[in-house]
Amino acid sequence: MVEPEERPSVAGQRLGAPESMGISTLEPGQRPPTMPPGRQVSIRVQMLDDTQEVFEQRASGKVLFDLVCAHLNLIEGDYFGLEYQDQRKMIVWLDLLKPIFKQIRRPKNTILRFVVKFFPPDHTQLLEELTRYLFALQIKHDLACGRLTCNESSAALLVSHIVQSEIGDFDEVQCKQHLLNNKYIPEQDTLMDKIIEYHRKHIGQTPAESDYQLLEIARRLEMYGVRLYPAKDREGTKLSLAVAHSGVLVFQGHTKINAFNWSKVRKLSFKRKRFLIKLRPDLNSNCQDTLEFMMGSRDCCKVFWKICVEYHAFFRLFEEPKPKPKPVLFTRGSSFRFSGRTQRQVIDYVKDSEFKKVPFERFPTDKAYFIAKELLTTERTYLKDLEVITVSFQKSVGKDEALPDSLRNLIFANFEPVYKFHETFLKDVEQRLAQWEGRSNAHIKGDYQRIGDVMLKNIQGLKLLTANFQKHSEALLELERMCRSSRKLEGLCRDFELQKVCYLPLNIFFLRPLHRLMHYKQILERLCKHYPPTHDDFRDSRAALADVSEMVVQLHGTLIKMENFQKLLELKKDLTGIDNLALPGREFIRLGCLSKLSGKGLQQRMFFLVRAACFHKLVTYMFLTDGEDEWGVPHSFTLFGQRQSVVVAASADQESEDDLSASRTSLERQTPHRGNTTVHVCWHRNTSVSMVDFSVALENQLSGNLLRKFKNSNGWQKLWVVFTNFSLFFYKTHQDEYPLASLPLLGYSITIPSESENIHKDYVFKLHFKSHVYYFRSESEYTFERWMEVIRSATCSSSHIRSLSRKEPHVY
């Protein structure tokens, strides 16, 4: 009579194994005595991500295995094992109870592989994200080597989840390039379109969610977790044997033709090359009581028998088998037994233990990586901005005679060398990031987790282009001078600014190279602050910072002068009847919305504050005094001129005549970007901006992927977002020529969603102005903090002009 399975017992008793022919089946052996420590040796272990680690140890296989699990911070290590190729070229599991020297002849020359050993039927039984990640890597290996076979649709779906986990949300160009560089399945080229089609549907899916979906699909496949061992039946037909959580399986090719559930198996044994399965009596079946299979050798037979013993014990027993008494005189059969916790014990341990879980991060976590990635994303935007001049503008003006050859050469001959230089610079950064992320095999050959060396090499190259940078400002001045004398050229420039590719005022693109030097300086300052002086990358980063700082100091005066000139030119286009605004000696200070006190009350007006050497010709003097006590109007002050005075007040929060956000800030609308000029936005948002604010906004540019939450749904849309000039510009991908929409940020507030808003995602920030709310999600803590930082630089620095009313009177 068979004992109930609910009662723990040794494996042999539960299978009712008689003491008969061959070697005992699933009965546990005796725990060997503790082995004395041997000599220490370096042992190489290849992990599931193909990296190799070296462990110094001298004891049993279990000590080494525990070291590997500790290295990985792996709690559920019992699902895994160490395998190696022995001198007979057979793949063998490392016996954890034996000393390594008794199993491997030359440990120094042998590479052990850390792999999944026990495949559970349900991946939800894996409680740790790290464990599921390692299982996903194993599935990836099995797909690549052709071990996990499936139909084309399943294969394409599996690969699409792998791609989503590795490169993130769908980008067609990036996805195609990634699939060309990485082979996940043998026949991948024929399934490229189907993989891309599936990948397109995974937007917003995190790497952990991708792993979950990968395992969900894989576990339903017939070959999931199957390791085939060649055999023949009694008639000599070629078959393969395998073992799973449910029992012993028989395959013909890759088709399962039979399965023997553990509940039906009474005994497993082997005798020389014969593998024997003894079944429990079944009156309703004509099947033989004992099935016999011939394997390649006794060693092959024993290896398969051992793994059957372990699979049965791991999935069927409640606790680790107890050792049987040591025989007094002699013993028959193998002493091998399963050693370790069973699956039930593993699950209970993880659920009940109060250990502090170590956060699992699958992407590089070093802050330097994210700083390098910011360099990459902003460099892509910068190269596109250079193309506005070198490609789009040059094509637009063509060989039109309105643009004289002298001016043509001044512009394009000085921009094209800079553009070509940054093409190479971008490729260097892309290659280094690919190595850092492990998307190429270069990381195996050396330490590529650096970016300072790339920066130093290219900053030194940039120093040779200093003369070109100085010519850019000269080109802007000459273009403006020519436009004043030629209506045709002015019309050409105005028409070009109306093109979608010119998403900012044209003259801003002339300043981009100078602003980019500021960006490099900021990036290198963060990098040097992050690195300790002993870091391999610190010296190069510091040297690069010194070089770029020298260039910034050298060109700082030119930058300040040109920023002011650019802003005056922009105001000239927004204001009618003022043609002589951009003259030498004029300095823009602030523009903004104020309320003028009149007989009809407070009426909204736009004010422009400009300092000029000859300003007395227009107004002899003007100064400010606090008028709240006199007029009873909060935040009010008086402007005194030679012949008149005006009482104005900084705006309190109030509805404007035409709520800009109703027509200009909707991301669904394909609104023309020219409607979002600074003057236009300040008018409708009731705010003001100073020249200092403009400089900060231009020097704090940021680019990258963000997920934008759809209204009234849980869906997220992936967008390529560029922050510059107080606005967010939205693209589908970084390759797009022009933005789909934009969101001016003046007047907006940036906060973190509250619990009541039910945004159950990490790294989400909220932009809101009156009733208009947008949620955006970044990819990491670092990028989340950077988006918050640069957006606050635009929304907080653009304070209302009421701040002037609290100062002492100023005379201009």
Side-chain angles (χ1 to χ4, degrees):
M1 183 174 179
V2 181
E3 295 181 21
E5 290 190 358
E6 287 74 10
R7 294 173 56 189
S9 64
V10 295
Q13 291 173 332
R14 287 171 56 194
L15 289 176
E19 296 181 3
S20 59
M21 66 175 191
I23 296 175
S24 179
T25 61
L26 301 177
E27 296 181 11
Q30 181 179 358
R31 182 184 299 275
T34 303
M35 301 298 295
R39 61 186 179 90
Q40 187 162 303
V41 68
S42 298
I43 298 175
R44 284 185 297 164
V45 178
Q46 181 165 314
M47 303 299 183
L48 280 163
D49 62 357
D50 291 329
T51 60
Q52 290 187 7
E53 299 291 338
V54 177
F55 296 90
E56 302 283 344
Q57 72 97 42
R58 63 176 68 197
S60 67
K62 187 176 189 313
V63 175
L64 173 62
F65 183 74
D66 289 343
L67 286 174
V68 175
C69 292
H71 170 75
L72 295 170
N73 291 318
L74 181 60
I75 304 299
E76 298 172 291
D78 306 76
Y79 290 100
F80 302 85
L82 294 171
E83 66 177 18
Y84 65 97
Q85 191 176 56
D86 66 8
Q87 67 273 15
R88 300 157 297 184
K89 305 299 181 184
M90 287 180 56
I91 300 298
V92 182
W93 290 104
L94 187 72
D95 190 332
L96 301 186
L97 294 180
K98 292 183 180 179
I100 294 176
F101 291 102
K102 289 194 174 182
Q103 303 180 68
I104 306 174
R105 287 187 177 180
R106 298 179 178 177
K108 283 187 177 180
N109 300 329
T110 302
I111 298 178
L112 298 177
R113 293 197 306 145
F114 180 81
V115 294
V116 175
K117 187 173 187 178
F118 301 114
F119 290 82
D122 187 353
H123 59 95
T124 60
Q125 295 173 330
L126 306 174
L127 304 181
E128 294 280 293
E129 182 185 345
L130 171 58
T131 313
R132 292 192 293 273
Y133 168 65
L134 295 174
F135 265 75
L137 290 180
Q138 184 67 65
I139 297 302
K140 178 181 168 183
H141 276 278
D142 291 351
L143 277 173
C145 69
R147 178 185 287 163
L148 181 57
T149 57
C150 54
N151 60 45
E152 291 186 350
S153 181
S154 296
L157 187 55
L158 287 166
V159 173
S160 71
H161 285 295
I162 294 174
V163 174
Q164 175 71 16
S165 177
E166 295 201 353
I167 69 172
D169 290 334
F170 179 75
D171 177 299
E172 187 165 1
V173 175
Q174 186 182 14
C175 180
K176 286 183 178 178
Q177 190 62 44
H178 185 80
L179 290 172
L180 290 173
N181 295 337
N182 299 272
K183 294 294 183 183
Y184 296 112
I185 49 178
E187 303 298 326
Q188 182 168 294
D189 292 343
T190 60
L191 296 178
M192 184 83 77
D193 292 340
K194 190 175 286 290
I195 295 170
I196 291 173
E197 178 186 347
Y198 283 133
H199 184 207
R200 193 190 304 268
K201 300 176 181 178
H202 302 331
I203 287 179
Q205 188 170 287
T206 66
E209 292 166 344
S210 296
D211 290 346
Y212 188 92
Q213 293 301 324
L214 182 75
L215 297 177
E216 177 66 24
I217 300 163
R219 77 181 182 92
R220 300 177 186 275
L221 301 176
E222 193 164 71
M223 296 300 292
Y224 166 69
V226 169
R227 305 292 183 259
L228 297 177
Y229 294 81
K232 294 180 182 178
D233 62 12
R234 287 181 174 177
E235 287 73 36
T237 304
K238 290 184 177 181
L239 302 169
S240 294
L241 298 180
V243 62
H245 67 279
S246 58
V248 181
L249 313 176
V250 183
F251 285 83
Q252 194 162 37
H254 286 86
T255 303
K256 184 170 67 176
I257 61 173
N258 213 338
F260 303 102
N261 194 281
W262 294 127
S263 62
K264 296 180 180 179
V265 176
R266 181 181 178 189
K267 178 181 179 181
L268 296 177
S269 61
F270 71 95
K271 192 171 186 180
R272 298 187 178 90
K273 295 196 286 186
R274 291 185 296 155
F275 183 78
L276 306 168
I277 304 176
K278 190 164 187 177
L279 303 176
R280 298 184 185 279
D282 187 355
L283 300 178
N284 299 322
S285 173
N286 295 324
C287 186
Q288 305 173 50
D289 288 343
T290 303
L291 301 173
E292 183 177 308
F293 298 90
M294 295 294 293
M295 305 191 80
S297 66
R298 179 186 180 278
D299 291 332
C300 294
C301 212
K302 185 176 182 180
V303 166
F304 181 63
W305 173 78
K306 280 186 174 182
I307 191 63
C308 288
V309 170
E310 293 183 309
Y311 251 81
H312 175 271
F314 184 75
F315 286 109
R316 297 284 286 181
L317 300 189
F318 293 141
E319 60 185 20
E320 181 179 0
K322 302 294 190 299
K324 64 181 181 181
K326 183 178 180 181
V328 179
L329 298 177
F330 62 89
T331 181
R332 295 178 60 193
S334 172
S335 63
F336 175 77
R337 71 173 183 86
F338 171 74
S339 173
R341 294 179 297 194
T342 65
Q343 185 190 32
R344 174 63 64 85
Q345 288 176 308
V346 173
I347 293 174
D348 291 343
Y349 171 74
V350 176
K351 285 182 177 179
D352 299 340
S353 296
E354 296 181 356
F355 56 82
K356 183 179 180 181
K357 295 185 179 181
V358 179
F360 167 57
E361 295 285 348
R362 72 191 66 225
F363 298 125
T365 57
D366 186 3
K367 185 177 180 180
Y369 163 79
F370 294 106
I371 295 174
K373 193 166 185 181
E374 180 181 333
L375 171 66
L376 170 67
T377 56
T378 53
E379 190 70 14
R380 284 172 172 165
T381 296
Y382 175 52
L383 198 64
K384 283 290 184 183
D385 286 350
L386 290 177
E387 285 180 358
V388 173
I389 299 292
T390 59
V391 178
S392 303
F393 184 57
Q394 186 167 203
K395 181 181 178 181
S396 181
V397 297
K399 295 184 178 180
D400 198 297
E401 295 180 357
L403 188 67
D405 290 340
S406 59
L407 180 56
R408 188 189 308 276
N409 293 333
L410 182 61
I411 296 174
F412 303 123
N414 286 289
F415 266 90
E416 286 176 352
V418 177
Y419 175 71
K420 291 184 180 298
F421 174 85
H422 284 279
E423 278 188 313
T424 303
F425 188 8
L426 178 59
K427 289 178 182 177
D428 287 348
V429 177
E430 286 177 334
Q431 183 181 17
R432 179 55 55 86
L433 263 293
Q435 293 166 346
W436 204 329
E437 293 168 346
R439 288 186 281 117
S440 73
N441 291 327
H443 70 284
I444 297 175
K445 303 173 185 176
D447 180 14
Y448 282 90
Q449 296 184 355
R450 296 180 296 157
I451 196 63
D453 57 333
V454 175
M455 290 288 286
L456 178 60
K457 182 186 77 171
N458 286 280
I459 293 297
Q460 290 173 341
L462 270 181
K463 292 178 72 175
L464 302 177
L465 298 172
T466 302
N468 298 81
F469 296 149
Q470 292 170 333
K471 290 287 185 180
H472 294 164
S473 60
E474 184 180 329
L476 179 57
L477 291 168
E478 185 64 13
L479 178 61
E480 170 59 18
R481 188 183 71 80
M482 292 271 186
C483 284
R484 287 201 304 266
S485 61
S486 171
R487 288 191 174 184
K488 185 175 182 182
L489 179 58
E490 184 182 23
L492 283 175
C493 294
R494 184 174 59 250
D495 291 342
F496 177 72
E497 283 196 315
L498 293 175
Q499 294 184 22
K500 292 180 178 180
V501 71
C502 190
Y503 68 102
L504 296 170
L506 174 60
N507 45 46
I508 285 184
F509 293 102
F510 282 82
L511 303 182
R512 276 296 190 245
L514 296 178
H515 288 139
R516 190 58 179 157
L517 294 178
M518 299 292 295
H519 302 158
Y520 293 147
K521 182 174 181 288
Q522 294 167 0
I523 287 172
L524 285 164
E525 284 173 343
R526 286 198 297 274
L527 202 59
C528 289
K529 185 177 180 181
H530 165 68
Y531 282 142
T534 55
H535 195 280
D536 293 341
D537 206 26
F538 178 76
R539 178 178 296 180
D540 288 339
S541 300
R542 186 173 58 179
L545 176 59
D547 284 345
V548 78
S549 297
E550 180 184 342
M551 295 179 68
V552 168
V553 170
Q554 184 179 354
L555 296 167
H556 181 70
T558 300
L559 176 60
I560 296 298
K561 177 182 176 182
M562 298 316 298
E563 281 185 340
N564 180 71
F565 182 64
Q566 180 272 322
K567 182 48 61 180
L568 291 173
L569 291 179
E570 187 178 335
L571 292 180
K572 175 186 170 183
K573 294 174 184 176
D574 289 331
L575 302 175
T576 57
I578 302 179
D579 296 327
N580 59 349
L581 187 61
L583 294 177
R586 290 280 168 85
E587 180 184 347
F588 169 75
I589 299 174
R590 179 181 287 271
L591 67 84
C593 191
L594 295 173
S595 296
K596 176 186 175 183
L597 185 62
S598 67
K600 297 181 179 179
L602 292 173
Q603 294 181 321
Q604 188 172 324
R605 296 289 185 268
M606 281 297 296
F607 283 75
F608 303 87
L609 195 57
V610 178
R611 180 185 286 125
C614 58
F615 200 71
H616 64 279
K617 294 181 180 179
L618 302 177
V619 179
T620 303
Y621 63 93
M622 177 179 70
F623 59 91
L624 317 178
T625 60
D626 194 338
E628 183 170 357
D629 294 337
E630 181 178 356
W631 300 101
V633 179
H635 314 306
S636 64
F637 53 92
T638 305
L639 301 177
F640 290 92
Q642 187 175 20
R643 298 177 181 175
Q644 63 178 351
S645 62
V646 179
V647 178
V648 294
S651 309
D653 291 335
Q654 61 183 29
E655 293 293 334
S656 61
E657 298 172 8
D658 173 26
D659 188 359
L660 172 71
S661 59
S663 61
R664 297 296 186 188
T665 66
S666 174
L667 303 191
E668 290 79 11
R669 288 176 174 263
Q670 304 285 324
T671 55
H673 64 275
R674 301 311 305 158
N676 291 336
T677 66
T678 308
V679 173
H680 183 88
V681 175
C682 284
W683 172 259
H684 291 287
R685 302 275 174 82
N686 247 331
T687 189
S688 71
V689 185
S690 73
M691 188 65 227
V692 174
D693 297 334
F694 278 112
S695 297
V696 170
L698 290 171
E699 293 169 8
N700 283 281
Q701 183 177 329
L702 190 62
S703 308
N705 287 313
L706 286 176
L707 293 173
R708 175 228 172 180
K709 187 179 182 298
F710 287 119
K711 291 182 179 178
N712 304 318
S713 80
N714 293 322
W716 294 81
Q717 176 190 18
K718 183 183 180 183
L719 295 167
W720 176 261
V721 183
V722 174
F723 166 78
T724 187
N725 204 32
F726 298 112
S727 298
L728 293 176
F729 295 91
F730 302 95
Y731 304 75
K732 288 184 67 177
T733 71
H734 68 83
Q735 291 98 349
D736 290 356
E737 295 297 325
Y738 54 85
L740 302 173
S742 64
L743 179 63
L745 295 181
L746 292 172
Y748 265 76
S749 298
I750 181 169
T751 58
I752 299 173
S754 63
E755 287 291 330
S756 62
E757 292 171 276
N758 296 319
I759 308 294
H760 302 298
K761 297 289 185 180
D762 294 330
Y763 315 131
V764 176
F765 60 87
K766 170 185 174 183
L767 291 174
H768 50 103
F769 173 73
K770 298 181 180 177
S771 62
H772 299 272
V773 178
Y774 298 100
Y775 299 99
F776 294 97
R777 177 174 147 209
S778 53
E779 63 179 355
S780 67
E781 183 178 3
Y782 175 84
T783 53
F784 168 77
E785 291 175 351
R786 285 291 292 137
W787 281 108
M788 294 282 285
E789 180 183 352
V790 297
I791 291 175
R792 278 177 176 152
S793 75
T795 58
C796 296
S797 63
S798 55
S799 57
H800 287 207
I801 204 168
R802 63 172 175 261
S803 61
L804 291 178
S805 66
R806 297 304 179 192
K807 298 180 180 179
E808 293 298 320
H810 285 70
V811 178
Y812 296 92

